[in-house]
């Protein structure tokens, strides 16, 4: 266990996504993904969860789990994006669009569970 940790520190690991040779930023060591593939995997997970919650009949526990997922990964994404790593403009745009996906999923959850009469139009005045 200790040996593995030391090896991981000694040399930057490579993204586990097939054919990707980008290195893994330390904030994403647990995921083993580069920033690009981390955002892609988040987008994928979000679209699955969205499908799961869109009908508003996901159990309460599952909704809490999803809210936890959004918070945790939003923070992780913010941390890696502001850690001073050089990011291309494309990658910055991708990070922002992933934030948007997370925010929209969160908003959808609230709408589905609240059944707000304002939910459809989004106008609250
Ligand atoms: Zn990658």
């Amino acid at each position: 266990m200790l040996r593995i940790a030391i090896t991981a520190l000694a040399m930057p690991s490579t993204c586990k996504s097939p054919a990707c040779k980008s290195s893994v930023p330390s904030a994403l060591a647990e995921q083993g993904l580069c920033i690009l593939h981390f955002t892609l995997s988040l987008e994928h997970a979000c679209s699955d969860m969205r499908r799961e919650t869109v009908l508003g009949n996901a159990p309460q526990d599952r909704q809490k789990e999803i809210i936890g997922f959004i918070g945790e990964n939003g923070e992780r994404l913010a941390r890696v994006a502001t850690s001073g790593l050089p990011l291309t403009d494309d990658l910055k745009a991708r990070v922002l669009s992933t934030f948007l996906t997370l925010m929209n999923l969160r908003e959808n959850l609230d709408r589905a569970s609240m059944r707000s009469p304002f939910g459809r139009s989004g106008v609250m005045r």
Side-chain angles (χ1 to χ4, degrees):
M1 197 61 192
L2 187 62
R3 202 162 57 91
I4 293 168
I6 290 168
T7 316
L9 278 178
M11 54 177 201
S13 49
T14 307
C15 176
K16 70 182 179 189
S17 182
C20 179
K21 292 189 172 63
S22 304
S23 60
V24 175
S26 55
L28 298 179
E30 198 186 315
Q31 285 69 31
L33 294 169
C34 67
I35 297 179
L36 173 65
H37 284 106
F38 178 60
T39 62
L40 290 175
S41 83
L42 273 185
E43 297 271 359
H44 189 80
C46 283
S47 75
D48 281 353
M49 288 177 193
R50 184 166 179 145
R51 226 167 311 155
E52 201 180 321
T53 57
V54 75
L55 298 173
N57 56 10
Q60 194 102 43
D61 282 355
R62 180 59 181 150
Q63 289 189 32
K64 279 192 197 140
E65 213 173 277
I66 293 174
I67 287 170
F69 175 92
I70 294 169
E72 191 181 309
N73 285 289
E75 281 173 28
R76 188 172 283 133
L77 188 61
R79 214 174 309 135
V80 71
T82 55
S83 66
L85 285 173
L87 301 176
T88 63
D89 284 351
D90 277 358
L91 205 47
K92 287 177 192 161
R94 166 145 287 287
V95 166
L96 289 182
S97 95
T98 304
F99 271 121
L100 193 60
T101 304
L102 288 169
M103 289 190 281
N104 286 338
L105 178 63
R106 183 65 177 84
E107 191 177 59
N108 263 44
L109 267 183
D110 285 343
R111 279 186 194 169
S113 63
M114 274 167 42
R115 298 241 166 264
S116 158
F118 305 110
R120 297 195 91 155
S121 64
V123 179
M124 284 181 72
R125 50 179 101 119

